[in-house]
Coordinates of all heavy atoms in Angstrom, one line a residue:
N310 N 93.0 130.8 97.8 CA 93.2 132.1 97.3 C 94.3 132.8 98.2 O 94.0 133.1 99.4 CB 91.9 132.9 97.4 CG 92.0 134.3 96.7 OD1 93.1 134.7 96.4 ND2 90.9 134.9 96.5
P311 N 95.5 133.0 97.7 CA 96.6 133.5 98.5 C 96.5 135.0 98.8 O 97.3 135.5 99.6 CB 97.8 133.2 97.6 CG 97.3 133.3 96.2 CD 95.9 132.7 96.3
D312 N 95.5 135.7 98.2 CA 95.4 137.1 98.4 C 94.4 137.5 99.4 O 93.2 137.3 99.1 CB 95.1 137.8 97.0 CG 95.3 139.3 97.1 OD1 95.4 139.8 98.2 OD2 95.3 140.0 96.1
P313 N 94.8 137.9 100.6 CA 93.7 138.2 101.6 C 92.8 139.3 101.2 O 91.6 139.3 101.6 CB 94.6 138.7 102.8 CG 95.9 138.1 102.6 CD 96.1 138.1 101.1
A314 N 93.3 140.3 100.4 CA 92.4 141.4 99.9 C 91.3 140.8 99.0 O 90.2 141.4 99.0 CB 93.2 142.4 99.2
Q315 N 91.5 139.8 98.3 CA 90.5 139.2 97.4 C 89.6 138.3 98.2 O 88.4 138.1 97.8 CB 91.2 138.4 96.3 CG 92.0 139.3 95.3 CD 92.6 138.5 94.2 OE1 92.2 137.3 94.0 NE2 93.4 139.1 93.4
R316 N 90.0 137.8 99.3 CA 89.1 137.0 100.1 C 88.0 137.9 100.8 O 86.9 137.5 100.8 CB 89.9 136.3 101.2 CG 91.0 135.3 100.7 CD 91.8 134.8 101.9 NE 93.0 134.1 101.4 CZ 94.0 133.8 102.3 NH1 93.9 134.1 103.5 NH2 95.1 133.2 101.8
D317 N 88.5 139.0 101.2 CA 87.6 140.0 101.8 C 88.2 141.3 101.8 O 89.3 141.5 102.4 CB 87.2 139.5 103.3 CG 86.0 140.3 103.8 OD1 85.9 141.5 103.6 OD2 85.1 139.6 104.4
P318 N 87.6 142.4 101.3 CA 88.2 143.7 101.2 C 88.4 144.3 102.6 O 89.2 145.2 102.7 CB 87.2 144.5 100.4 CG 85.9 143.8 100.5 CD 86.3 142.3 100.6
R319 N 87.8 143.7 103.6 CA 88.0 144.2 105.0 C 89.3 143.5 105.6 O 89.5 143.8 106.8 CB 86.8 143.9 105.8 CG 85.6 144.6 105.4 CD 84.4 144.1 106.2 NE 84.2 142.7 106.0 CZ 83.3 141.9 106.7 NH1 82.6 142.5 107.6 NH2 83.2 140.7 106.4
G320 N 90.0 142.7 104.9 CA 91.1 142.0 105.4 C 92.3 143.0 105.7 O 92.2 143.9 106.4
F321 N 93.5 142.7 105.1 CA 94.7 143.5 105.3 C 95.2 144.0 104.0 O 96.3 143.6 103.5 CB 95.7 142.6 106.0 CG 95.3 142.1 107.4 CD1 94.6 140.9 107.5 CD2 95.5 142.9 108.5 CE1 94.2 140.5 108.8 CE2 95.1 142.5 109.7 CZ 94.4 141.3 109.9
P322 N 94.5 144.9 103.3 CA 95.0 145.4 102.0 C 96.3 146.2 102.2 O 96.4 147.0 103.2 CB 93.9 146.3 101.5 CG 93.1 146.6 102.7 CD 93.2 145.4 103.6
P323 N 97.3 146.1 101.4 CA 98.6 146.8 101.5 C 98.4 148.3 101.6 O 99.1 149.0 102.3 CB 99.4 146.4 100.3 CG 98.8 145.1 99.9 CD 97.3 145.2 100.2
E324 N 97.4 148.9 100.9 CA 97.3 150.3 100.9 C 96.8 150.9 102.3 O 96.9 152.1 102.5 CB 96.2 150.8 99.8 CG 94.9 150.2 100.0 CD 94.7 148.8 99.3 OE1 95.8 148.3 98.9 OE2 93.6 148.4 99.1
R325 N 96.4 150.0 103.1 CA 96.0 150.5 104.5 C 97.0 150.1 105.5 O 96.9 150.4 106.7 CB 94.7 149.8 104.9 CG 93.5 150.2 104.0 CD 92.2 149.5 104.5 NE 91.1 149.8 103.6 CZ 89.9 149.3 103.8 NH1 89.6 148.5 104.8 NH2 88.9 149.5 102.9
E326 N 98.1 149.6 105.1 CA 99.2 149.2 106.0 C 100.2 150.3 106.1 O 100.4 151.1 105.2 CB 99.9 147.9 105.5 CG 99.1 146.7 105.6 CD 98.8 146.2 107.0 OE1 99.7 146.3 107.8 OE2 97.7 145.7 107.3
P327 N 100.9 150.4 107.2 CA 102.0 151.4 107.4 C 103.1 151.2 106.3 O 103.7 152.2 105.9 CB 102.6 151.1 108.7 CG 101.5 150.4 109.5 CD 100.8 149.6 108.5
E328 N 103.3 150.0 105.8 CA 104.2 149.8 104.7 C 103.4 149.1 103.6 O 102.5 148.3 103.8 CB 105.3 148.9 105.1 CG 106.2 149.5 106.2 CD 107.6 149.1 106.1 OE1 108.0 148.5 105.1 OE2 108.4 149.3 107.0
Q329 N 103.8 149.5 102.4 CA 103.0 149.0 101.2 C 103.4 147.5 100.9 O 104.1 147.2 99.9 CB 103.3 149.9 100.0 CG 102.9 151.3 100.2 CD 101.4 151.4 100.1 OE1 100.8 151.2 99.1 NE2 100.8 151.9 101.2
A330 N 103.0 146.6 101.7 CA 103.3 145.2 101.6 C 102.2 144.4 102.2 O 101.4 144.9 103.1 CB 104.7 144.9 102.2
Y331 N 102.1 143.1 101.8 CA 101.2 142.2 102.4 C 101.8 141.6 103.7 O 103.0 141.3 103.8 CB 100.9 141.0 101.4 CG 100.2 141.4 100.2 CD1 100.8 141.7 99.0 CD2 98.8 141.5 100.2 CE1 100.1 142.1 97.8 CE2 98.1 141.8 99.1 CZ 98.7 142.1 97.9 OH 98.0 142.5 96.8
R332 N 100.9 141.5 104.6 CA 101.3 140.9 105.9 C 101.7 139.5 105.7 O 101.1 138.7 104.9 CB 100.2 141.0 106.9 CG 100.0 142.4 107.5 CD 99.3 142.3 108.8 NE 98.9 143.6 109.3 CZ 98.5 143.9 110.5 NH1 98.4 142.8 111.4 NH2 98.1 145.1 110.9
Q333 N 102.7 139.1 106.6 CA 103.0 137.7 106.6 C 101.8 136.9 107.2 O 101.1 137.4 108.0 CB 104.2 137.5 107.6 CG 105.0 136.2 107.4 CD 104.4 135.0 108.3 OE1 103.7 135.3 109.2 NE2 104.9 133.8 108.0
Y334 N 101.5 135.7 106.7 CA 100.2 135.1 106.9 C 99.9 134.9 108.4 O 98.7 135.1 108.8 CB 100.2 133.7 106.2 CG 98.9 133.0 106.3 CD1 97.8 133.5 105.6 CD2 98.7 131.9 107.1 CE1 96.5 132.9 105.7 CE2 97.5 131.3 107.2 CZ 96.4 131.8 106.5 OH 95.2 131.2 106.6
F335 N 100.9 134.6 109.2 CA 100.6 134.3 110.6 C 100.7 135.6 111.5 O 100.7 135.5 112.7 CB 101.6 133.3 111.1 CG 101.4 131.9 110.5 CD1 102.4 131.4 109.6 CD2 100.3 131.2 110.8 CE1 102.2 130.2 109.0 CE2 100.1 130.0 110.2 CZ 101.0 129.5 109.3
F336 N 100.7 136.8 110.8 CA 100.6 138.0 111.6 C 99.3 138.8 111.2 O 99.3 139.9 110.9 CB 101.8 138.9 111.2 CG 103.1 138.5 111.9 CD1 103.8 137.4 111.5 CD2 103.5 139.2 113.1 CE1 104.9 137.0 112.1 CE2 104.6 138.8 113.7 CZ 105.4 137.7 113.3
G337 N 98.2 138.1 111.3 CA 96.9 138.7 111.1 C 96.0 138.0 110.1 O 94.9 137.6 110.5
P338 N 96.5 137.7 108.9 CA 95.6 137.0 107.9 C 95.1 135.6 108.4 O 94.0 135.2 108.1 CB 96.5 137.0 106.7 CG 97.4 138.1 106.8 CD 97.7 138.3 108.3
A339 N 96.0 134.9 109.1 CA 95.6 133.6 109.5 C 94.4 133.6 110.5 O 93.4 132.9 110.3 CB 96.8 132.9 110.2
M340 N 94.4 134.5 111.5 CA 93.2 134.6 112.4 C 92.0 135.2 111.6 O 90.9 134.9 111.9 CB 93.6 135.5 113.5 CG 94.6 134.9 114.5 SD 94.0 133.4 115.2 CE 92.6 133.9 116.1
F341 N 92.3 136.1 110.7 CA 91.2 136.7 109.9 C 90.5 135.6 109.1 O 89.3 135.5 109.0 CB 91.7 137.7 108.9 CG 90.7 138.3 108.0 CD1 89.9 139.4 108.5 CD2 90.6 137.9 106.7 CE1 88.9 139.9 107.7 CE2 89.6 138.4 105.9 CZ 88.8 139.5 106.4
D342 N 91.3 134.7 108.5 CA 90.8 133.5 107.8 C 90.0 132.6 108.7 O 88.9 132.1 108.3 CB 91.9 132.8 107.1 CG 92.4 133.5 105.8 OD1 91.7 134.4 105.4 OD2 93.5 133.1 105.3
L343 N 90.5 132.4 109.9 CA 89.8 131.5 110.8 C 88.5 132.0 111.2 O 87.5 131.3 111.2 CB 90.7 131.3 112.1 CG 90.1 130.5 113.2 CD1 89.7 129.1 112.7 CD2 91.0 130.4 114.4
R344 N 88.4 133.3 111.5 CA 87.1 133.9 111.8 C 86.2 133.9 110.6 O 85.0 133.6 110.8 CB 87.3 135.4 112.2 CG 88.0 135.6 113.6 CD 87.9 137.0 114.1 NE 88.6 137.9 113.2 CZ 89.8 138.3 113.3 NH1 90.5 137.8 114.4 NH2 90.4 139.1 112.5
R345 N 86.7 134.1 109.5 CA 85.8 134.0 108.3 C 85.3 132.6 108.1 O 84.2 132.3 107.7 CB 86.6 134.5 107.1 CG 85.8 134.6 105.8 CD 86.6 135.3 104.7 NE 85.8 135.5 103.5 CZ 85.8 134.7 102.5 NH1 86.5 133.6 102.6 NH2 85.0 134.9 101.4
I346 N 86.2 131.6 108.2 CA 85.8 130.2 108.1 C 84.8 129.8 109.1 O 83.8 129.1 108.8 CB 87.1 129.3 108.2 CG1 88.0 129.5 107.0 CG2 86.7 127.8 108.3 CD1 89.3 128.8 107.1
L347 N 85.0 130.2 110.4 CA 84.0 129.9 111.4 C 82.6 130.6 111.2 O 81.6 129.9 111.3 CB 84.5 130.3 112.8 CG 85.8 129.5 113.3 CD1 86.2 130.1 114.6 CD2 85.4 128.0 113.4
R348 N 82.7 131.8 110.7 CA 81.4 132.5 110.4 C 80.7 131.8 109.3 O 79.5 131.6 109.3 CB 81.6 134.0 110.1 CG 82.0 134.8 111.3 CD 81.8 136.3 111.0 NE 82.7 136.7 109.9 CZ 83.9 137.2 110.1 NH1 84.4 137.4 111.4 NH2 84.7 137.6 109.1
R349 N 81.4 131.5 108.2 CA 80.8 130.8 107.1 C 80.4 129.4 107.5 O 79.3 129.0 107.0 CB 81.8 130.8 105.9 CG 81.2 130.2 104.6 CD 80.2 131.2 104.1 NE 79.6 130.6 102.9 CZ 80.1 130.8 101.7 NH1 81.2 131.6 101.5 NH2 79.6 130.3 100.6
G350 N 81.2 128.7 108.2 CA 80.8 127.4 108.7 C 79.6 127.4 109.5 O 78.7 126.5 109.4
Q351 N 79.5 128.4 110.4 CA 78.3 128.5 111.3 C 77.0 128.7 110.5 O 76.0 128.1 110.6 CB 78.5 129.6 112.3 CG 77.3 129.7 113.3 CD 77.5 130.9 114.2 OE1 78.4 131.7 114.1 NE2 76.6 131.0 115.2
A352 N 77.2 129.7 109.5 CA 76.0 130.0 108.7 C 75.6 128.8 107.8 O 74.4 128.5 107.7 CB 76.3 131.2 107.8

């Protein structure tokens, strides 16, 4: 799923960013995905 906002609404939605754009993957979403994968994997 390429849309971080659809993966989790607590991610990096553009409307909460200083600029109305999606973050580049390795500037936040990648670590967010890693934490989500680890939490889900642990559970």
Side-chain angles (χ1 to χ4, degrees):
N310 188 348
D312 190 348
Q315 294 181 10
R316 299 175 194 166
D317 193 316
R319 296 171 299 171
F321 298 90
E324 59 271 13
R325 297 182 185 176
E326 292 289 324
E328 297 211 13
Q329 297 289 297
Y331 290 97
R332 285 202 188 192
Q333 201 268 349
Y334 186 70
F335 294 109
F336 281 79
M340 291 301 297
F341 178 82
D342 284 346
L343 176 60
R344 289 192 297 268
R345 186 167 182 269
I346 291 170
L347 292 179
R348 286 196 299 266
R349 185 66 180 273
Q351 180 183 11

